[in-house]
Amino acid sequence: KKGNRHIFNSRLYRKFRWGNGSDINTVANIAYGDYQFQRRFFKDMFTVTVGATGSYGWVQSSIFVDSIQLDTTGNAAKYFQTYSAAAFAQLEFSWKWLNLMAGVRYELNGADSLVEGSIPVFRMGANIKAAKATFIRLSYGQSYRMPSLAERFVKAETGGINIFPNFELL
C-alpha cells in the first residue's frame, strides 16, 4: 500500500552424473535464495533497493583430490560444501531525460574450511536521453572472480591429458 516492494526468489538445483568404470561419478546440489526490498519515494524520482543473496552447495565427486578432506574413518571423503552470502544496496534517481544509479555489494565465499571475503564492490551509471531515439550511457563497475572447486581441487586424467589441482589459486 505504501509503495514498498518485496521480492524473494529461490531455487534448488541438483545434478547427477553416473559413469561406467573409471568415468566420473558426481552429485552436485545448490540451494539459492535472494531477497530484495524496493521503495520509491519523493514523487517516484528515487528508488532504493537493498537485499541479501545466499547459496549453499554440497558436491561429491570421484575426481576431487583424495587428500583434501577425510571422512570420520580417515578415508578420502571427496565431498565438498560451498557457500556464499552477499548484502547489497542501490539508489536510483530518475528525472525527465536523466537517470543516475549507484550501488555497493559485499560478499563472503567459502568451501569447507576455506573462507574468503571480498572487498566491497561499487557500481555507478548515468543514462541521458540526448534526442528522440538517442541515449548516452556512462557506466562504471567493479567485480572479481572466485576460482571454482574444479580449478582448485580436481585431479584427473582423460585422453592422455593430466589435470592437476592448484591449491594456491586465489
Side-chain angles (χ1 to χ4, degrees):
K1 292 181 180 180
K2 297 182 180 183
N4 297 331
R5 184 175 179 196
H6 300 272
I7 304 164
F8 180 72
N9 291 304
S10 66
R11 66 180 149 266
L12 180 61
Y13 176 78
R14 186 169 180 121
K15 180 180 179 180
F16 296 95
R17 180 173 178 184
W18 289 278
N20 298 330
S22 63
D23 285 353
I24 300 166
N25 296 304
T26 303
V27 178
N29 307 277
I30 298 175
Y32 170 84
D34 178 76
Y35 171 76
Q36 292 183 23
F37 169 78
Q38 283 187 338
R39 170 95 188 217
R40 292 181 177 264
F41 57 97
F42 197 69
K43 299 181 182 179
D44 289 342
M45 289 182 8
F46 289 92
T47 303
V48 65
T49 304
V50 295
T53 300
S55 70
Y56 174 72
W58 55 107
V59 181
Q60 187 169 6
S61 179
S62 61
I63 62 172
F64 288 136
V65 176
D66 291 345
S67 61
I68 292 298
Q69 185 175 357
L70 301 178
D71 63 18
T72 55
T73 62
N75 296 317
K78 298 184 180 183
Y79 176 83
F80 279 93
Q81 298 177 67
T82 63
Y83 65 88
S84 69
F88 55 88
Q90 179 171 292
L91 179 64
E92 299 173 59
F93 170 78
S94 182
W95 178 75
K96 296 184 181 181
W97 46 266
L98 177 65
N99 293 305
L100 302 173
M101 180 273 303
V104 63
R105 179 180 180 94
Y106 182 80
E107 291 189 34
L108 287 175
N109 294 284
D112 290 318
S113 61
L114 177 67
V115 179
E116 296 179 286
S118 73
I119 58 172
V121 292
F122 298 93
R123 61 183 272 187
M124 63 182 80
N127 192 348
I128 302 163
K129 185 175 183 179
K132 184 176 180 180
T134 304
F135 293 87
I136 298 170
R137 182 173 183 253
L138 305 168
S139 180
Y140 171 80
Q142 299 174 315
S143 70
Y144 66 94
R145 187 181 83 79
M146 300 292 293
S148 69
L149 287 177
E151 291 173 301
R152 286 185 173 165
F153 302 116
V154 168
K155 183 176 181 181
E157 180 182 339
T158 179
I161 297 174
N162 291 317
I163 300 168
F164 297 101
N166 186 348
F167 305 115
E168 305 301 318
L169 189 60
L170 300 175

